[in-house]
Amino acid sequence: MAPISIQTVLISESVDPRCKAILEENGIRVTEKPNMKRDELMAEIKDYDGLVVRSATKVNADVISAAHNLKIIGRAGTGVDNVDVDAATKKGIIVMNTPSGNTISAAELTCALLMSLSRNVPQAAMSMKQGNWDRKKFMGAELYGKVLGIVGLGRIGKEVASRMQSFGMRTIGYDPITTPEVTAGWGVEQMSLEQLWPQCDYITVHTPLMPSTVGLLCDETFAKCKKGVKVVNCARGGIIDEAALLRALESRQCGGAGLDVFVEEPPKNRSLVEHPNVISCPHLGASTKEAQARCGEDIALQIVDMVKGKSLVGANKHSYNTCQRDLMLPLDHGVTVVIGVQLNRLTSTQTSEKFTMELYVKSLTNCHALV
C-alpha cells in the first residue's frame, strides 16, 4: 500500500504511555487531551491527521465533519461501535481497531462470570460483609459435565472454549464464518442456533453488535432454552434483549445472568443490575493492565506501519478501498518467495462487495539454490 502522511495525532482518552512513545519515536507529534466534551473535541480535531480513542469518545458525523485533515481514526480496543464508520468512509478516513489486544482479558472475565454464576460467589461475599453466614442460601452447581453454548467463535470465543473445557464442560457453538472443521480442532461442536438453544446449561455471546445480532437472545429464544439456563454477555450491550432477559429471570426460565455490557452505559434502568440473580460489572472486559498496554502499543504500531506503507491491520472493512498483504512461501532448498497480494475495492453494498486481486513477486531469497 502507498504510504500515508500522518504528522500529528490527537489522543482523546487515557491510553497506555507506550502509544504516545511509539508514535513520537517515529516522528509523529502527539497531543493528549482526555475527557473533552463534544464541542471541545470538534474545536480541537480540525487540524490533526490522526485521532486515537478508546470507547468513551463518540466520533460521530459532526466530529468527523469538523476534522478537516483527518486521515486515520484508531480505536485502542476491539470494535468501532463509537465511530461513525460510514461518515468516515465518505471523507476517505481509515478507521482501525486492535482486534486482538483485549482477547485474553475479555475471555478471562467471561470465565469468571460463568464460575461466579455457578457458585453465587459475589452474592455470598456480599452476604458475609453484611455479617451473615448463609451456607444453604448459596447452594451452587458444578460446571463439570455441563453444556456451554458459545455464540461467536472468533478470538475470544475460542479462548473461552479452551478454558472452560478444562472444567470438564462440553462446548458447543455457532459462528457464521468460522468453519465447523476449524472449531472442531478446538473441541467445539458447531451447530445451528435452533439446535444450540435447547442443549445449553450456559450461554455466552461473543459477536459484534449489528442488525443481525441485536436481540439475539429474546423472548422467543429464551423460550427454546432449558429452564434455568444461565447467560453471559461480555461482548456488546443489546445482543441480549434486556427487557426479555428480565422477564426470563422473573419467570425463572433464565436462572442467572452475568453482564459486563449494557445498551446504555451506565444503565439508568437499574432493574437488571439490582436483580438478585444478576452479576454485573461496569464494562471491565478490557480493563486489565495487560490489555491496555497491548491495545495502546498495537494501535500505535498499526498507525506507524500504515504511515510507512507496510500494512493496513485492524482496518474496518468499510473504511478502505485498497488493502495489501505479503505472503511468505517457503520452497524447497531453503528458498523463500514473498508474494504481494493487493485487493482493490470496486463496488460495495450492504450485501456484497466486489474486488480485484493483484498478485506479484516481491522478493526471492536464496534463489541460487535452485540453479
Side-chain angles (χ1 to χ4, degrees):
M1 61 174 288
I4 298 174
S5 176
I6 302 291
Q7 298 180 5
T8 57
V9 168
L10 173 65
I11 299 178
S12 67
E13 295 183 56
S14 177
V15 177
D16 189 84
R18 280 288 291 153
C19 180
K20 180 180 180 181
I22 290 170
L23 293 173
E24 290 183 334
E25 286 167 6
N26 286 273
I28 298 172
R29 297 192 303 276
V30 178
T31 302
E32 293 181 293
K33 287 197 173 182
N35 305 317
M36 283 186 290
K37 295 179 180 178
R38 175 176 167 273
D39 291 343
E40 293 172 329
L41 176 60
M42 289 176 64
E44 183 70 26
I45 193 62
K46 61 182 185 296
D47 296 325
Y48 288 91
D49 301 317
L51 173 65
V52 172
V53 303
R54 285 179 59 191
S55 56
T57 303
K58 306 305 178 187
V59 191
N60 58 26
D62 291 337
V63 172
I64 290 168
S65 178
H68 304 311
N69 297 328
L70 202 61
K71 302 180 184 73
I72 174 74
I73 300 169
R75 177 165 183 256
T78 301
V80 288
D81 301 38
N82 54 320
V83 179
D84 188 330
V85 177
D86 289 337
T89 301
K90 289 175 183 176
K91 287 195 68 173
I93 299 169
I94 293 172
V95 180
M96 61 169 58
N97 71 143
T98 55
S100 60
N102 64 0
T103 297
I104 299 300
S105 293
E108 288 182 351
L109 181 61
T110 300
C111 297
L113 289 175
L114 288 167
M115 288 184 278
S116 295
L117 284 172
S118 74
R119 299 302 296 269
N120 304 302
V121 175
Q123 297 94 325
M126 185 59 67
S127 176
M128 287 285 287
K129 291 180 186 297
Q130 293 169 349
N132 301 318
W133 184 263
D134 295 322
R135 295 182 67 188
K136 292 183 179 179
K137 182 178 180 180
F138 300 112
M139 180 67 67
E142 292 182 350
L143 292 172
Y144 181 82
K146 302 300 190 300
V147 177
L148 172 64
I150 305 172
V151 181
L153 294 166
R155 295 178 180 88
I156 298 172
K158 177 183 178 182
E159 296 297 335
V160 170
S162 68
R163 285 157 176 74
M164 300 318 295
Q165 287 162 10
S166 68
F167 283 86
M169 297 193 84
R170 177 187 167 217
T171 51
I172 62 176
Y174 169 78
D175 193 285
I177 298 173
T178 310
T179 67
E181 292 76 19
V182 169
T183 61
W186 318 333
V188 179
E189 179 188 355
Q190 271 209 65
M191 58 189 64
S192 70
L193 290 173
E194 293 300 309
Q195 293 171 308
L196 181 142
W197 302 130
Q199 296 190 48
C200 298
D201 299 295
Y202 295 81
I203 296 170
T204 178
V205 294
H206 300 285
T207 72
L209 184 66
M210 57 181 66
S212 61
T213 62
V214 171
L216 190 62
L217 271 77
C218 57
D219 289 314
E220 182 182 353
T221 48
F222 274 119
K224 296 174 182 177
C225 294
K226 284 184 179 178
K227 190 170 183 63
V229 65
K230 295 179 173 66
V231 299
V232 170
N233 186 4
C234 289
R236 289 289 184 267
I239 297 172
I240 300 177
D241 183 317
E242 292 178 355
L245 173 58
L246 185 60
R247 287 189 288 270
L249 287 163
E250 292 296 326
S251 69
R252 299 190 178 180
Q253 178 64 18
C254 177
L259 303 175
D260 186 46
V261 290
F262 297 85
V263 172
E264 182 181 38
E265 295 184 354
K268 292 178 182 176
N269 186 332
R270 306 281 296 177
S271 300
L272 283 173
V273 174
E274 294 172 1
H275 195 283
N277 292 336
V278 172
I279 301 168
S280 58
C281 300
H283 205 150
L284 298 179
S287 294
T288 64
K289 295 176 182 178
E290 295 84 354
Q292 289 312 304
R294 228 178 270 124
C295 289
E297 184 170 330
D298 285 355
I299 198 63
L301 291 172
Q302 288 170 206
I303 291 172
V304 169
D305 283 347
M306 185 191 71
V307 169
K308 293 181 176 179
K310 289 184 177 180
S311 63
L312 190 61
V313 176
N316 185 277
K317 70 177 183 177
H318 297 300
S319 67
Y320 60 85
N321 291 311
T322 299
C323 180
Q324 187 176 36
R325 295 287 186 272
D326 292 341
L327 302 178
M328 184 175 293
L329 305 176
L331 305 177
D332 292 338
H333 309 295
V335 177
T336 299
V337 61
V338 177
I339 304 293
V341 182
Q342 180 165 307
L343 293 176
N344 303 298
R345 185 193 299 268
L346 297 179
T347 61
S348 178
T349 68
Q350 288 186 334
T351 57
S352 67
E353 295 177 310
K354 291 184 179 180
F355 293 87
T356 61
M357 178 184 288
E358 299 175 25
L359 301 175
Y360 52 94
V361 176
K362 292 192 69 174
S363 64
L364 191 61
T365 303
N366 199 28
C367 57
H368 64 272
L370 293 174
V371 179

PDB file of all heavy atoms in Angstrom, residues 207-231:
ATOM      1  N   THR A 207     -20.232 -11.895  19.790  1.00  0.00           N
ATOM      2  CA  THR A 207     -20.440 -11.402  18.433  1.00  0.00           C
ATOM      3  C   THR A 207     -20.342  -9.878  18.433  1.00  0.00           C
ATOM      4  O   THR A 207     -20.499  -9.238  19.478  1.00  0.00           O
ATOM      5  CB  THR A 207     -21.825 -11.801  17.901  1.00  0.00           C
ATOM      6  OG1 THR A 207     -22.822 -11.019  18.593  1.00  0.00           O
ATOM      7  CG2 THR A 207     -22.102 -13.283  18.117  1.00  0.00           C
ATOM      8  N   PRO A 208     -20.097  -9.270  17.276  1.00  0.00           N
ATOM      9  CA  PRO A 208     -20.233  -7.820  17.202  1.00  0.00           C
ATOM     10  C   PRO A 208     -21.705  -7.434  17.277  1.00  0.00           C
ATOM     11  O   PRO A 208     -22.584  -8.289  17.097  1.00  0.00           O
ATOM     12  CB  PRO A 208     -19.634  -7.478  15.831  1.00  0.00           C
ATOM     13  CG  PRO A 208     -19.726  -8.736  15.040  1.00  0.00           C
ATOM     14  CD  PRO A 208     -19.660  -9.869  16.009  1.00  0.00           C
ATOM     15  N   LEU A 209     -21.972  -6.177  17.562  1.00  0.00           N
ATOM     16  CA  LEU A 209     -23.358  -5.679  17.558  1.00  0.00           C
ATOM     17  C   LEU A 209     -23.677  -5.176  16.163  1.00  0.00           C
ATOM     18  O   LEU A 209     -23.065  -4.229  15.676  1.00  0.00           O
ATOM     19  CB  LEU A 209     -23.522  -4.558  18.580  1.00  0.00           C
ATOM     20  CG  LEU A 209     -24.948  -4.027  18.745  1.00  0.00           C
ATOM     21  CD1 LEU A 209     -25.861  -5.103  19.331  1.00  0.00           C
ATOM     22  CD2 LEU A 209     -24.957  -2.777  19.623  1.00  0.00           C
ATOM     23  N   MET A 210     -24.615  -5.814  15.512  1.00  0.00           N
ATOM     24  CA  MET A 210     -25.049  -5.449  14.172  1.00  0.00           C
ATOM     25  C   MET A 210     -26.525  -5.804  14.050  1.00  0.00           C
ATOM     26  O   MET A 210     -27.076  -6.462  14.942  1.00  0.00           O
ATOM     27  CB  MET A 210     -24.209  -6.183  13.119  1.00  0.00           C
ATOM     28  CG  MET A 210     -24.232  -7.701  13.249  1.00  0.00           C
ATOM     29  SD  MET A 210     -23.192  -8.533  12.011  1.00  0.00           S
ATOM     30  CE  MET A 210     -21.567  -7.992  12.520  1.00  0.00           C
ATOM     31  N   PRO A 211     -27.191  -5.393  12.994  1.00  0.00           N
ATOM     32  CA  PRO A 211     -28.628  -5.674  12.898  1.00  0.00           C
ATOM     33  C   PRO A 211     -28.990  -7.139  13.109  1.00  0.00           C
ATOM     34  O   PRO A 211     -30.013  -7.448  13.733  1.00  0.00           O
ATOM     35  CB  PRO A 211     -28.979  -5.205  11.479  1.00  0.00           C
ATOM     36  CG  PRO A 211     -28.011  -4.094  11.220  1.00  0.00           C
ATOM     37  CD  PRO A 211     -26.733  -4.501  11.898  1.00  0.00           C
ATOM     38  N   SER A 212     -28.153  -8.053  12.645  1.00  0.00           N
ATOM     39  CA  SER A 212     -28.475  -9.480  12.763  1.00  0.00           C
ATOM     40  C   SER A 212     -28.262 -10.026  14.167  1.00  0.00           C
ATOM     41  O   SER A 212     -28.723 -11.119  14.489  1.00  0.00           O
ATOM     42  CB  SER A 212     -27.645 -10.287  11.763  1.00  0.00           C
ATOM     43  OG  SER A 212     -26.256 -10.124  12.030  1.00  0.00           O
ATOM     44  N   THR A 213     -27.551  -9.276  15.037  1.00  0.00           N
ATOM     45  CA  THR A 213     -27.299  -9.779  16.389  1.00  0.00           C
ATOM     46  C   THR A 213     -28.031  -8.989  17.473  1.00  0.00           C
ATOM     47  O   THR A 213     -27.988  -9.369  18.642  1.00  0.00           O
ATOM     48  CB  THR A 213     -25.792  -9.782  16.709  1.00  0.00           C
ATOM     49  OG1 THR A 213     -25.286  -8.435  16.657  1.00  0.00           O
ATOM     50  CG2 THR A 213     -25.030 -10.643  15.716  1.00  0.00           C
ATOM     51  N   VAL A 214     -28.681  -7.895  17.107  1.00  0.00           N
ATOM     52  CA  VAL A 214     -29.456  -7.145  18.100  1.00  0.00           C
ATOM     53  C   VAL A 214     -30.617  -8.019  18.586  1.00  0.00           C
ATOM     54  O   VAL A 214     -31.381  -8.559  17.794  1.00  0.00           O
ATOM     55  CB  VAL A 214     -30.006  -5.838  17.501  1.00  0.00           C
ATOM     56  CG1 VAL A 214     -30.989  -5.178  18.463  1.00  0.00           C
ATOM     57  CG2 VAL A 214     -28.867  -4.881  17.178  1.00  0.00           C
ATOM     58  N   GLY A 215     -30.724  -8.193  19.900  1.00  0.00           N
ATOM     59  CA  GLY A 215     -31.796  -9.020  20.455  1.00  0.00           C
ATOM     60  C   GLY A 215     -31.687 -10.483  20.067  1.00  0.00           C
ATOM     61  O   GLY A 215     -32.701 -11.173  19.946  1.00  0.00           O
ATOM     62  N   LEU A 216     -30.452 -10.963  19.898  1.00  0.00           N
ATOM     63  CA  LEU A 216     -30.255 -12.365  19.521  1.00  0.00           C
ATOM     64  C   LEU A 216     -30.871 -13.299  20.563  1.00  0.00           C
ATOM     65  O   LEU A 216     -31.481 -14.316  20.232  1.00  0.00           O
ATOM     66  CB  LEU A 216     -28.753 -12.644  19.363  1.00  0.00           C
ATOM     67  CG  LEU A 216     -28.341 -13.969  18.751  1.00  0.00           C
ATOM     68  CD1 LEU A 216     -28.849 -14.097  17.317  1.00  0.00           C
ATOM     69  CD2 LEU A 216     -26.821 -14.121  18.770  1.00  0.00           C
ATOM     70  N   LEU A 217     -30.690 -12.949  21.822  1.00  0.00           N
ATOM     71  CA  LEU A 217     -31.415 -13.647  22.890  1.00  0.00           C
ATOM     72  C   LEU A 217     -32.605 -12.780  23.270  1.00  0.00           C
ATOM     73  O   LEU A 217     -32.445 -11.695  23.838  1.00  0.00           O
ATOM     74  CB  LEU A 217     -30.517 -13.894  24.099  1.00  0.00           C
ATOM     75  CG  LEU A 217     -29.734 -15.216  24.064  1.00  0.00           C
ATOM     76  CD1 LEU A 217     -28.559 -15.101  23.113  1.00  0.00           C
ATOM     77  CD2 LEU A 217     -29.261 -15.607  25.450  1.00  0.00           C
ATOM     78  N   CYS A 218     -33.790 -13.291  22.954  1.00  0.00           N
ATOM     79  CA  CYS A 218     -35.025 -12.538  23.160  1.00  0.00           C
ATOM     80  C   CYS A 218     -36.067 -13.483  23.759  1.00  0.00           C
ATOM     81  O   CYS A 218     -35.756 -14.620  24.135  1.00  0.00           O
ATOM     82  CB  CYS A 218     -35.506 -11.956  21.832  1.00  0.00           C
ATOM     83  SG  CYS A 218     -35.756 -13.211  20.548  1.00  0.00           S
ATOM     84  N   ASP A 219     -37.303 -13.038  23.854  1.00  0.00           N
ATOM     85  CA  ASP A 219     -38.362 -13.883  24.414  1.00  0.00           C
ATOM     86  C   ASP A 219     -38.453 -15.212  23.658  1.00  0.00           C
ATOM     87  O   ASP A 219     -38.593 -16.284  24.273  1.00  0.00           O
ATOM     88  CB  ASP A 219     -39.713 -13.157  24.340  1.00  0.00           C
ATOM     89  CG  ASP A 219     -39.800 -11.993  25.310  1.00  0.00           C
ATOM     90  OD1 ASP A 219     -39.414 -12.176  26.477  1.00  0.00           O
ATOM     91  OD2 ASP A 219     -40.246 -10.914  24.906  1.00  0.00           O
ATOM     92  N   GLU A 220     -38.377 -15.132  22.342  1.00  0.00           N
ATOM     93  CA  GLU A 220     -38.517 -16.333  21.526  1.00  0.00           C
ATOM     94  C   GLU A 220     -37.390 -17.325  21.767  1.00  0.00           C
ATOM     95  O   GLU A 220     -37.626 -18.529  21.910  1.00  0.00           O
ATOM     96  CB  GLU A 220     -38.548 -15.945  20.040  1.00  0.00           C
ATOM     97  CG  GLU A 220     -38.743 -17.124  19.095  1.00  0.00           C
ATOM     98  CD  GLU A 220     -38.730 -16.699  17.641  1.00  0.00           C
ATOM     99  OE1 GLU A 220     -38.696 -15.484  17.364  1.00  0.00           O
ATOM    100  OE2 GLU A 220     -38.749 -17.592  16.778  1.00  0.00           O
ATOM    101  N   THR A 221     -36.145 -16.825  21.827  1.00  0.00           N
ATOM    102  CA  THR A 221     -35.017 -17.745  22.027  1.00  0.00           C
ATOM    103  C   THR A 221     -34.944 -18.258  23.461  1.00  0.00           C
ATOM    104  O   THR A 221     -34.609 -19.422  23.686  1.00  0.00           O
ATOM    105  CB  THR A 221     -33.691 -17.066  21.630  1.00  0.00           C
ATOM    106  OG1 THR A 221     -33.622 -15.768  22.219  1.00  0.00           O
ATOM    107  CG2 THR A 221     -33.588 -16.939  20.131  1.00  0.00           C
ATOM    108  N   PHE A 222     -35.273 -17.405  24.438  1.00  0.00           N
ATOM    109  CA  PHE A 222     -35.286 -17.894  25.826  1.00  0.00           C
ATOM    110  C   PHE A 222     -36.292 -19.037  25.982  1.00  0.00           C
ATOM    111  O   PHE A 222     -36.052 -19.988  26.731  1.00  0.00           O
ATOM    112  CB  PHE A 222     -35.616 -16.762  26.802  1.00  0.00           C
ATOM    113  CG  PHE A 222     -34.423 -15.950  27.228  1.00  0.00           C
ATOM    114  CD1 PHE A 222     -34.366 -14.595  26.955  1.00  0.00           C
ATOM    115  CD2 PHE A 222     -33.359 -16.546  27.888  1.00  0.00           C
ATOM    116  CE1 PHE A 222     -33.272 -13.834  27.333  1.00  0.00           C
ATOM    117  CE2 PHE A 222     -32.256 -15.803  28.275  1.00  0.00           C
ATOM    118  CZ  PHE A 222     -32.214 -14.444  27.995  1.00  0.00           C
ATOM    119  N   ALA A 223     -37.416 -18.943  25.270  1.00  0.00           N
ATOM    120  CA  ALA A 223     -38.437 -19.992  25.353  1.00  0.00           C
ATOM    121  C   ALA A 223     -37.929 -21.324  24.814  1.00  0.00           C
ATOM    122  O   ALA A 223     -38.428 -22.389  25.199  1.00  0.00           O
ATOM    123  CB  ALA A 223     -39.691 -19.561  24.597  1.00  0.00           C
ATOM    124  N   LYS A 224     -36.933 -21.280  23.936  1.00  0.00           N
ATOM    125  CA  LYS A 224     -36.379 -22.507  23.354  1.00  0.00           C
ATOM    126  C   LYS A 224     -35.277 -23.107  24.219  1.00  0.00           C
ATOM    127  O   LYS A 224     -34.813 -24.230  23.961  1.00  0.00           O
ATOM    128  CB  LYS A 224     -35.821 -22.206  21.956  1.00  0.00           C
ATOM    129  CG  LYS A 224     -36.885 -21.759  20.958  1.00  0.00           C
ATOM    130  CD  LYS A 224     -36.251 -21.346  19.636  1.00  0.00           C
ATOM    131  CE  LYS A 224     -37.322 -20.849  18.660  1.00  0.00           C
ATOM    132  NZ  LYS A 224     -36.738 -20.376  17.380  1.00  0.00           N
ATOM    133  N   CYS A 225     -34.824 -22.361  25.217  1.00  0.00           N
ATOM    134  CA  CYS A 225     -33.720 -22.820  26.067  1.00  0.00           C
ATOM    135  C   CYS A 225     -34.218 -23.724  27.201  1.00  0.00           C
ATOM    136  O   CYS A 225     -35.400 -23.761  27.514  1.00  0.00           O
ATOM    137  CB  CYS A 225     -32.988 -21.617  26.672  1.00  0.00           C
ATOM    138  SG  CYS A 225     -32.137 -20.576  25.477  1.00  0.00           S
ATOM    139  N   LYS A 226     -33.257 -24.424  27.821  1.00  0.00           N
ATOM    140  CA  LYS A 226     -33.561 -25.172  29.031  1.00  0.00           C
ATOM    141  C   LYS A 226     -34.056 -24.208  30.109  1.00  0.00           C
ATOM    142  O   LYS A 226     -33.584 -23.082  30.215  1.00  0.00           O
ATOM    143  CB  LYS A 226     -32.297 -25.854  29.566  1.00  0.00           C
ATOM    144  CG  LYS A 226     -31.829 -27.078  28.834  1.00  0.00           C
ATOM    145  CD  LYS A 226     -30.625 -27.670  29.559  1.00  0.00           C
ATOM    146  CE  LYS A 226     -30.100 -28.920  28.887  1.00  0.00           C
ATOM    147  NZ  LYS A 226     -28.907 -29.454  29.587  1.00  0.00           N
ATOM    148  N   LYS A 227     -34.974 -24.676  30.930  1.00  0.00           N
ATOM    149  CA  LYS A 227     -35.424 -23.848  32.049  1.00  0.00           C
ATOM    150  C   LYS A 227     -34.258 -23.686  33.021  1.00  0.00           C
ATOM    151  O   LYS A 227     -33.597 -24.651  33.392  1.00  0.00           O
ATOM    152  CB  LYS A 227     -36.605 -24.479  32.770  1.00  0.00           C
ATOM    153  CG  LYS A 227     -37.247 -23.528  33.788  1.00  0.00           C
ATOM    154  CD  LYS A 227     -38.550 -24.075  34.318  1.00  0.00           C
ATOM    155  CE  LYS A 227     -39.229 -23.099  35.283  1.00  0.00           C
ATOM    156  NZ  LYS A 227     -39.618 -21.835  34.641  1.00  0.00           N
ATOM    157  N   GLY A 228     -33.975 -22.450  33.393  1.00  0.00           N
ATOM    158  CA  GLY A 228     -32.871 -22.178  34.312  1.00  0.00           C
ATOM    159  C   GLY A 228     -31.541 -21.908  33.632  1.00  0.00           C
ATOM    160  O   GLY A 228     -30.512 -21.804  34.313  1.00  0.00           O
ATOM    161  N   VAL A 229     -31.525 -21.792  32.312  1.00  0.00           N
ATOM    162  CA  VAL A 229     -30.278 -21.511  31.596  1.00  0.00           C
ATOM    163  C   VAL A 229     -29.645 -20.221  32.132  1.00  0.00           C
ATOM    164  O   VAL A 229     -30.332 -19.283  32.511  1.00  0.00           O
ATOM    165  CB  VAL A 229     -30.537 -21.386  30.070  1.00  0.00           C
ATOM    166  CG1 VAL A 229     -31.417 -20.188  29.749  1.00  0.00           C
ATOM    167  CG2 VAL A 229     -29.223 -21.307  29.293  1.00  0.00           C
ATOM    168  N   LYS A 230     -28.323 -20.201  32.191  1.00  0.00           N
ATOM    169  CA  LYS A 230     -27.596 -19.013  32.646  1.00  0.00           C
ATOM    170  C   LYS A 230     -26.857 -18.405  31.453  1.00  0.00           C
ATOM    171  O   LYS A 230     -26.315 -19.132  30.621  1.00  0.00           O
ATOM    172  CB  LYS A 230     -26.632 -19.363  33.768  1.00  0.00           C
ATOM    173  CG  LYS A 230     -27.335 -19.838  35.047  1.00  0.00           C
ATOM    174  CD  LYS A 230     -26.339 -20.194  36.137  1.00  0.00           C
ATOM    175  CE  LYS A 230     -27.029 -20.491  37.464  1.00  0.00           C
ATOM    176  NZ  LYS A 230     -27.858 -21.710  37.401  1.00  0.00           N
ATOM    177  N   VAL A 231     -26.848 -17.072  31.386  1.00  0.00           N
ATOM    178  CA  VAL A 231     -26.290 -16.394  30.216  1.00  0.00           C
ATOM    179  C   VAL A 231     -25.245 -15.365  30.631  1.00  0.00           C
ATOM    180  O   VAL A 231     -25.317 -14.790  31.733  1.00  0.00           O
ATOM    181  CB  VAL A 231     -27.393 -15.711  29.375  1.00  0.00           C
ATOM    182  CG1 VAL A 231     -28.389 -16.733  28.854  1.00  0.00           C
ATOM    183  CG2 VAL A 231     -28.107 -14.629  30.182  1.00  0.00           C
TER     184      VAL A 231
END
